[in-house]
């Protein structure tokens, strides 16, 4: 595990181009990285009652988190022990007092134990029910957020690596926050690591986002590492770490945008990158969780869950107003942009524009990475991230 003080002093490219373009490389990530990592599943409020469940994926693993009749929260692989059928439909719901396979009606308790097998005496006279319960996974709750790991008996604290002691931005259970009904999903033509690296690149903020975020420059922002995770702050104001750039704060103050009371004060980070696929963006006005889902080496879906204050909810537009909305699929795609992405005044669109350009460039035989800008507010965070990927791939 990386020490919290080990942001590289010299920024270097640690991954080869094929790490971003090769399906074989992605297959190894599914095997060695995602299969051993924690993934966001949903909020604890979604599994408040006995029988409530939410499904999640981690690499190729299908997982389910379920509240037991004893009030305990458990996670299992969402596959039947008979023929491997997916047990519960993807999403969330309530399965009642048992989990019943839709294929042959094998029945499992909310504790994962095998309870019933149709025609057991004639078809399975020697079956040992105790040995055929659901495969366990790990589950933990952090700040009202549910995370799962495909491996059993994993500790979330090992992954957080001190992040639990960092000032947290929002109380997700607060009535001051209202959740948008459904996540917005972007389909990006890039490798998941290209998007991740863009998100932690402090050097580009003052240039690509000069009209939307207004910086800050690389000497006025900083990423702090915790294990494999990173937290971003603006340091534009002397002796103060802020959660938003001054440009953004000034703009919203001018608009007299009301702040969420519990998130109005400084002290928390503006971006929390939870390695490998979860991105949290916090501000005095909203809170979002974005989950990267690698579809292929060159395609990533980004599922964005948003919470905001009541004033934002009442004034927000429809998902159809987001640049690139595709009515046929419900996805946000660059192929459906109606104007140039740099004219949308939307920083997410600006980022997608650049990461897709980067992905196309990666395929060129002349592609190469030059000298990187060192510093915790420049491109050293990319080196830090890439070393985490390499270490997990080699483990």
């Amino acid at each position: 595990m990386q020490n919290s003080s080990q942001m590289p002093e010299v920024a270097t490219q640690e991954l080869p181009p094929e790490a971003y373009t090769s399906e074989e490389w992605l297959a190894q990530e599914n095997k060695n990285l995602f299969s051993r990592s924690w993934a966001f599943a949903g909020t604890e409020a979604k599994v408040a009652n006995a029988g409530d469940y939410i499904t999640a994926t981690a690499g190729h693993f299908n997982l389910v988190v379920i509240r037991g009749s004893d009030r305990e929260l458990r996670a299992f692989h969402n596959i039947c022990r008979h023929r491997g059928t997916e047990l519960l439909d993807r999403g969330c719901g309530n399965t009642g007092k048992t989990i019943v396979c839709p294929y042959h009606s094998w029945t499992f308790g909310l504790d994962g134990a095998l309870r019933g097998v149709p025609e057991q005496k004639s078809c399975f006279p020697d079956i040992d029910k105790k040995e055929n319960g659901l495969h366990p996974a790990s589950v933990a709750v952090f700040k009202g957020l549910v995370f799962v790991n495909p491996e059993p008996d994993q500790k979330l604290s090992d992954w957080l690596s001190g992040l639990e002691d960092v000032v947290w931005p929002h109380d997700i259970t607060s009535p001051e926050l209202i959740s948008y009904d459904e996540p917005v999903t972007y389909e990006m033509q890039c490798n998941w690591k290209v998007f991740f690296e863009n998100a932690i690149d402090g050097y580009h903020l003052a240039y690509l986002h000069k009209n939307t975020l207004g910086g800050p420059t690389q000497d006025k922002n900083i990423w702090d590492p915790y294990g494999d995770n990173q937290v971003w702050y603006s340091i534009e104001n002397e002796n103060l770490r802020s959660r938003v750039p001054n440009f953004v704060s000034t703009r919203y103050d001018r608009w007299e945008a009301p702040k969420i009371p519990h998130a109005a004060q400084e002290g928390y980070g503006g971006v929390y990158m939870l390695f490998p696929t979860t991105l949290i963006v916090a501000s005095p006005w909203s809170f979002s969780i974005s989950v990267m889902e690698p579809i292929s080496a060159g395609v990533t879906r980004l599922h964005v869950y948003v919470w905001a204050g009541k004033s934002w909810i009442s004034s927000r537009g429809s998902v159809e107003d987001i640049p690139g909305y595709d009515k046929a699929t419900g996805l946000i795609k660059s192929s459906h942009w109606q104007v140039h992405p740099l004219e949308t005044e939307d920083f997410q669109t600006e980022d997608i524009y650049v990461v897709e350009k980067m992905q196309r460039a990666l395929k060129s035989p002349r592609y190469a990475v030059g000298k990187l800008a060192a510093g915790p507010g420049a491109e050293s965070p990319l080196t830090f991230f890439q070393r985490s990927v390499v270490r997990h791939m080699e483990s």
Side-chain angles (χ1 to χ4, degrees), residues 38 64 342:
W38 289 90
V64 60
L342 298 184

Side-chain angles (χ1 to χ4, degrees), residues 48-231:
N49 304 308
D52 285 351
Y53 73 87
I54 46 179
T55 64
T57 59
H60 291 316
F61 290 106
N62 298 324
L63 306 171
V64 60
V65 175
I66 193 163
R67 182 74 67 179
S69 55
D70 58 359
R71 309 302 302 165
E72 289 293 317
L73 202 60
R74 298 181 177 86
F76 305 102
H77 288 260
N78 189 22
I79 55 175
C80 183
R81 290 301 306 278
H82 173 217
R83 293 276 296 279
T85 304
E86 186 178 81
L87 289 167
L88 294 169
D89 292 343
R90 297 192 177 192
C92 60
N94 187 289
T95 188
K97 297 181 178 181
T98 58
I99 303 170
V100 181
C101 179
Y103 202 178
H104 300 97
S105 292
W106 279 40
T107 302
F108 302 85
L110 301 184
D111 60 357
L114 178 59
R115 302 295 188 196
V117 178
E119 305 295 337
Q120 178 180 337
K121 290 184 179 180
S122 59
C123 296
F124 304 93
D126 300 322
I127 192 171
D128 185 343
K129 289 183 179 178
K130 292 183 179 179
E131 296 296 322
N132 284 275
L134 299 181
H135 293 297
S138 296
V139 62
V141 178
F142 176 60
K143 306 296 186 182
L145 309 177
V146 179
F147 292 90
V148 291
N149 188 306
E151 294 294 321
D153 303 320
Q154 300 298 300
K155 295 182 179 179
L156 189 72
S157 59
D158 291 343
W159 173 60
L160 293 173
S161 299
L163 195 62
E164 60 267 53
D165 298 324
V166 175
V167 177
W168 192 250
H170 287 273
D171 176 5
I172 202 70
T173 66
S174 172
E176 298 167 358
L177 278 178
I178 298 178
S179 172
Y180 287 14
D181 293 334
E182 297 292 338
V184 172
T185 299
Y186 295 80
E187 186 168 276
M188 306 179 294
Q189 304 302 306
C190 72
N191 184 269
W192 72 276
K193 295 185 295 300
V194 173
F195 181 81
F196 194 112
E197 291 179 8
N198 173 78
I200 57 175
D201 179 344
Y203 185 40
H204 82 290
L205 298 177
Y207 311 108
L208 176 64
H209 301 308
K210 61 182 178 181
N211 296 321
T212 50
L213 300 179
T217 54
Q218 80 282 352
D219 59 329
K220 297 297 184 181
N221 77 94
I222 191 170
W223 284 93
D224 287 344
Y226 296 88
D228 293 312
N229 312 302
Q230 303 185 47
V231 182

Side-chain angles (χ1 to χ4, degrees), residues 177-181 306-317:
L177 278 178
I178 298 178
S179 172
Y180 287 14
D181 293 334
V306 179
W307 292 258
K310 294 180 180 179
S311 60
W312 267 49
I313 292 292
S314 61
S315 62
R316 79 179 183 98

